[in-house]
Amino acid sequence: MKNIKNFIIGTITMAVLAANMGMSPAFAALGDQTLRPGMEGQDVKELQVRLNDLGFTQITADGIFGETTEQAIIELQNAKNIDADGIVGQATFQVLLGDRGPEVSRGSAPGRYKTVLAIKATAYAPGPHDNGQWGNLTYMGTQIRPGVIAVDPRVIPLGSRLYIEFADGNGMYGVAEDTGGAIKGNRIDIAMVSVDKAYDFGVQNVKVYVLS
């Protein structure tokens, strides 16, 4: 069970990791932070690409949340009966991400990595059903979203980039941003968009490559 002390420590840890890795909130992944007009960064660029994919408009994916992007968001929100404020919060992210789970592709394991582990993997979803009082937040204070992995920090350091190889040969990339009371030792929990998707995943034996 998480507690206030752990949350504060986790937030500090995230700040230290971001500083060490040269990261800033402007380069968070899509779904990690609320997006508003005037913001810039990789997550805004991903937002623009996703809007283009959905066919709401053809925006130049320049990573700048300007008037054209705001108008596209308002059109999306109106179409999906969401409060049309031009701000991309959790309700809008849910529409943007849809029922997509983590991006899985077929391919070989990465050539460069620190270590590879035999891991038992389960899945979870944001919200009180799976994450109790912490809702949509990870241990590191980011938003739970596809690509987030809960780990035992004694085995896989928080902030690590991971490649997860499934038994069928498919794989996915993720980032260790969360922990869990049942995630001890060689266990991970993979974030999904819904509880149903998490149930569908079940329990799987995987290989986890901790990347260089």
Side-chain angles (χ1 to χ4, degrees):
M1 182 66 69
K2 300 170 185 173
N3 54 44
I4 296 297
K5 180 179 179 181
N6 283 344
F7 179 72
I8 293 172
I9 293 172
T11 303
I12 294 171
T13 300
M14 182 180 70
V16 172
L17 285 168
N20 289 338
M21 297 173 66
M23 297 167 56
S24 72
F27 294 96
L30 182 61
D32 187 44
Q33 61 175 334
T34 298
L35 301 179
R36 305 172 183 273
M39 296 179 70
E40 300 181 13
Q42 180 62 33
D43 49 353
V44 175
K45 186 174 182 178
E46 292 181 23
L47 166 66
Q48 293 166 329
V49 170
R50 186 62 181 152
L51 286 168
N52 289 339
D53 289 344
L54 292 173
F56 277 88
T57 188
Q58 286 301 308
I59 305 171
T60 299
D62 57 6
I64 301 172
F65 199 140
E67 184 177 345
T68 303
T69 302
E70 181 181 7
Q71 186 57 44
I73 290 298
I74 290 173
E75 292 176 10
L76 172 70
Q77 291 169 330
N78 282 325
K80 300 298 183 179
N81 296 316
I82 302 171
D83 185 22
D85 56 6
I87 297 172
V88 186
Q90 284 304 303
T92 306
F93 278 128
Q94 192 68 33
V95 171
L96 287 164
L97 295 173
D99 288 330
R100 296 188 307 166
E103 298 293 337
V104 176
S105 61
R106 185 149 189 109
S108 60
R112 298 181 62 186
Y113 53 88
K114 293 180 180 178
T115 187
V116 59
L117 303 166
I119 295 284
K120 181 172 290 187
T122 52
Y124 73 118
H129 183 278
D130 286 348
N131 208 36
Q133 62 178 317
W134 303 103
N136 295 332
L137 292 179
T138 69
Y139 178 88
M140 294 179 67
T142 57
Q143 294 288 335
I144 296 173
R145 62 196 186 280
V148 165
I149 312 297
V151 301
D152 182 342
R154 297 171 301 179
V155 178
I156 299 174
L158 285 167
S160 297
R161 291 183 62 249
L162 309 174
Y163 179 79
I164 300 168
E165 184 178 75
F166 300 100
D168 63 2
N170 288 328
M172 61 167 284
Y173 287 91
V175 183
E177 293 184 2
D178 207 359
T179 62
I183 307 305
K184 303 298 182 185
N186 284 23
R187 288 282 307 274
I188 62 170
D189 224 2
I190 301 174
M192 300 287 174
V193 296
S194 68
V195 173
D196 286 343
K197 292 292 183 182
Y199 279 134
D200 288 344
F201 182 86
V203 181
Q204 301 185 31
N205 293 318
V206 303
K207 290 182 179 179
V208 174
Y209 294 78
V210 181
L211 304 183
S212 301

